[in-house]
Amino acid sequence: MAAGSGQEGRLAEEFFTPGGSSFSEFLAAHRPELLPTRPPFQDGVRAAPDAFPHGTTVLALAFRDGVLLAGDRRATMGNLIAQRDLEKVHPADDHTAVAFAGTVGLALDMVKLFQLELTHFEKVEGTPMTLAAKARRLATMIRQNLGQAMQGLAVVPLLAGYDVTARQGARGRIFSFDVAGGLYEKAPFHAEGSGSPYAHGALKKLYRADMTRRDAALAALQALYDAADDDSATGGPDIGRRIFPIVSVITEEGFERLPEQETERLSREMVEQRSRRPDGPHAAP
């Protein structure tokens, strides 16, 4: 039975009432219990420490043809590994993607809601949102999650996209957020999660503006390796289980997740390099 409908198989009246272009506002008005941003506990109650799986390190960097996002695969609950093959990078639409650190269940629901938000807007308005508008809309959703963040269930996304309206060479754009919905544009790279200081340090020495896709992917893998080397919550390449970081790119052609075979090949190449130089490549002179 449809929401609010008294007859089997018929949509409720609200589905035929003209409204705005925000799907989350529609849910808030008619089915607020479906929103992932509703507080799970009573006021004053906090989640027990390490009671829920948390995703850790994700990063993004602009390269010659667009922007790249990557993430390790580990989720942790305190000192336990809760999942070894978590996917933290997801397409939002053809030219935008979201990666996340934080409470896994809430993050996945927020990503799904954001995907619906963009689809709903385009169907209602007949045109896609601009990249800046997508960033502002995601910031609003994060702000709505502030109650859960204060209860210990924070979600920290990383948004990246290919902006067709920007000048050539600056179309790969990256946006970060704080738990209160603060919005910050980052260039030319950024990292989030518990391993982010180490990943950021690696990118600082490896990054070049003229990177090819392969160069950018290797730099991202090196950065995640450095994060895993110093942060126990970040997972490195798992050769034995054949679990490797997720690497995705967004270019003029759209979103593309690098094939598993390509990511594995680059990861094995990097691990072989690390066997000869454990501290990783040095910055170019």
Side-chain angles (χ1 to χ4, degrees):
M1 183 182 297
S5 173
Q7 300 184 44
E8 190 74 27
R10 293 193 62 183
L11 291 174
E13 182 179 349
E14 56 262 27
F15 288 92
F16 300 98
T17 303
S21 56
S22 170
F23 184 76
S24 58
E25 289 178 3
F26 175 83
L27 278 184
H30 301 291
R31 292 293 298 274
E33 71 277 8
L34 297 180
L35 285 170
T37 53
R38 68 189 187 282
F41 309 122
Q42 295 178 350
D43 291 344
V45 176
R46 284 182 59 84
D50 309 323
F52 299 92
H54 275 68
T56 49
T57 309
V58 293
L59 59 86
L61 64 145
F63 67 105
R64 188 176 65 189
D65 298 321
V67 64
L68 175 147
L69 292 98
D72 81 308
R73 308 293 295 275
R74 181 173 292 178
T76 59
M77 293 174 61
N79 63 333
L80 301 178
I81 297 176
Q83 189 172 345
R84 300 180 188 274
D85 61 351
L86 178 65
E87 298 199 9
K88 304 175 188 176
V89 180
H90 299 267
D93 62 14
D94 289 344
H95 288 90
T96 317
V98 180
F100 68 82
T103 307
V104 172
L106 295 179
L108 290 172
D109 280 349
M110 187 178 291
V111 168
K112 291 175 184 176
L113 181 60
F114 185 58
Q115 291 167 334
L116 283 171
E117 187 83 359
L118 300 188
T119 301
H120 182 78
F121 180 93
E122 187 169 351
K123 287 182 176 180
V124 171
E125 300 292 340
T127 185
M129 278 189 200
T130 65
L131 183 56
K134 294 172 191 176
R136 290 192 296 269
R137 189 63 61 95
L138 184 55
T140 298
M141 294 172 62
I142 296 166
R143 191 172 302 115
Q144 292 167 346
N145 191 59
L146 182 59
Q148 295 191 77
M150 293 295 97
Q151 293 178 322
L153 302 175
V155 175
V156 185
L158 184 59
L159 177 72
Y162 186 86
D163 189 349
V164 296
T165 66
R167 63 178 176 80
Q168 194 70 32
R171 294 184 173 177
R173 298 176 67 187
I174 301 164
F175 298 89
S176 72
F177 309 85
D178 60 35
V179 294
L183 171 62
Y184 315 93
E185 183 161 6
K186 301 292 185 176
F189 53 81
H190 189 66
E192 292 285 1
S194 60
S196 60
Y198 314 107
H200 192 275
L203 290 174
K204 196 171 182 178
K205 70 177 181 179
L206 297 176
Y207 182 80
R208 302 190 318 275
D210 62 346
M211 281 180 164
T212 64
R213 185 177 96 158
R214 172 185 165 82
D215 294 336
L218 275 172
L221 292 171
Q222 293 280 9
L224 290 173
Y225 191 102
D226 277 352
D229 200 33
D230 286 302
D231 173 44
S232 62
T234 303
D238 191 333
I239 302 294
R241 295 183 178 88
R242 297 186 66 188
I243 299 173
F244 303 96
I246 290 178
V247 181
S248 299
V249 297
I250 312 170
T251 65
E252 187 175 8
E253 286 71 39
F255 174 91
E256 178 190 0
R257 173 172 166 173
L258 267 61
E260 189 75 21
Q261 298 87 341
E262 183 177 356
T263 307
E264 179 176 354
R265 184 173 65 253
L266 292 174
S267 296
R268 289 182 181 275
E269 178 182 330
M270 178 197 63
V271 170
E272 175 61 26
Q273 293 172 359
R274 290 282 181 147
S275 69
R276 299 189 298 271
R277 177 177 278 179
D279 60 345
H282 295 175

